[in-house]
Amino acid sequence: RKEVEQDPGPFNVPEGATVAFNCTYSNSASQSFFWYRQDCRKEPKLLMSVYSSGNEDGRFTAQLNRASQYISLLIRDSKLSDSATYLCVVTHSGGYQKVTFGIGTKLQVIP
Amino acid sequence: DAGVIQSPRHEVTEMGQEVTLRCKPISGHDYLFWYRQTMMRGLELLIYFNNNVPIDDSGMPEDRFSAKMPNASFSTLKIQPSEPRDSAVYFCASSPRGSGNTDTQYFGPGTRLTVL
């Protein structure tokens, strides 16, 4: 089983729709969780951290479910500019920090 | 700040040749990471440094790969000899002091390597 698993998609959604992605992780000792965004042929950039209590940033909501070992990202009122690949990131410590990226979920918002 | 700088941006070479990728982290950042990204495997951490010291190199695929950080403002990733399966985008990222967490990792634009 991969340490971090994501559905690679693509998710094709109409403009204005709500879309949600999940990401599962295998290490129950994982400590920190993040969503990164990567545009085509560009570098990844931090979108938002994921806190235990859940957090929201405008149209974006991230949640963590430790019991089931998954994190989620919800995008409301999708815009064409949201089209990108969304990478799930999990870190844990085993003497030193270990960082694992998911393969990413591709989102295509269509007019 | 110019951000993380990587060179070259594109590299095309023939199998068996030596390839050297370069990275200049953001000034003042104590952590430096090297990643490789392919369609099949996604983004993989190869190695990371803290204060110029390699901390975790468990992601380095084999002995053909080596990385150095001779000072706080420069790092290299070398592949010798290169093979077609090394074709990928190689990213360098840096992170500020005391974090080590990805919430403050800043990625460079990447080097697109093609080995023929």
Side-chain angles (χ1 to χ4, degrees):
Chain A
R1 183 183 175 187
K2 291 183 181 177
E3 288 190 54
V4 178
E5 295 204 58
Q6 291 184 257
D7 182 343
F11 284 56
N12 297 314
V13 302
E15 208 173 354
T18 295
V19 62
F21 312 132
N22 280 345
C23 165
T24 59
Y25 59 93
S26 61
N27 189 334
S28 59
S30 297
Q31 298 174 311
S32 304
F33 309 88
F34 310 91
W35 285 102
Y36 270 65
R37 170 189 169 132
Q38 185 173 23
D39 292 302
C40 186
R41 301 181 78 87
K42 297 287 189 181
E43 71 273 21
K45 293 183 179 178
L46 178 68
L47 177 66
M48 60 196 305
S49 303
V50 186
Y51 303 123
S52 297
S53 56
N55 49 300
E56 188 173 310
D57 183 3
R59 299 181 293 108
F60 298 82
T61 301
Q63 293 190 314
L64 166 64
N65 185 318
R66 284 193 182 273
S68 300
Q69 295 184 200
Y70 75 86
I71 65 173
S72 64
L73 177 67
L74 181 80
I75 306 175
R76 291 180 298 277
D77 187 22
S78 301
K79 310 291 184 190
L80 297 176
S81 57
D82 294 334
S83 298
T85 296
Y86 292 84
L87 303 167
C88 166
V89 183
V90 176
T91 70
H92 66 266
S93 287
Y96 48 79
Q97 193 88 21
K98 180 142 179 84
V99 179
T100 306
F101 279 73
I103 200 163
T105 296
K106 186 172 183 179
L107 170 67
Q108 185 69 47
V109 180
I110 50 182
Chain B
D1 199 317
V4 175
I5 299 173
Q6 289 187 248
S7 65
R9 294 292 305 276
H10 301 272
E11 177 79 30
V12 180
T13 190
E14 292 187 344
M15 183 174 63
Q17 296 298 305
E18 177 180 294
V19 175
T20 299
L21 310 181
R22 297 173 176 79
C23 175
K24 176 178 168 54
I26 294 173
S27 178
H29 283 194
D30 286 355
Y31 288 83
L32 184 139
F33 305 79
W34 281 102
Y35 293 89
R36 176 174 68 176
Q37 187 173 40
T38 61
M39 289 290 290
M40 291 300 294
R41 300 174 67 89
L43 199 63
E44 301 172 282
L45 178 64
L46 300 177
I47 185 171
Y48 80 89
F49 296 83
N50 181 20
N51 291 320
N52 312 339
V53 176
I55 302 300
D56 179 8
D57 65 354
S58 59
M60 296 286 263
E62 49 197 273
D63 292 345
R64 297 185 296 107
F65 286 69
S66 63
K68 294 182 179 180
M69 192 166 186
N71 57 63
S73 59
F74 184 66
S75 177
T76 60
L77 177 67
K78 186 174 293 187
I79 308 172
Q80 166 63 20
S82 58
E83 297 182 3
R85 59 194 170 116
D86 301 330
S87 298
V89 180
Y90 291 81
F91 287 104
C92 175
S94 70
S95 186
R97 175 184 304 198
S99 70
N101 291 324
T102 58
D103 60 340
T104 48
Q105 274 197 28
Y106 298 85
F107 282 76
T111 294
R112 187 171 296 273
L113 173 65
T114 301
V115 183
L116 303 174

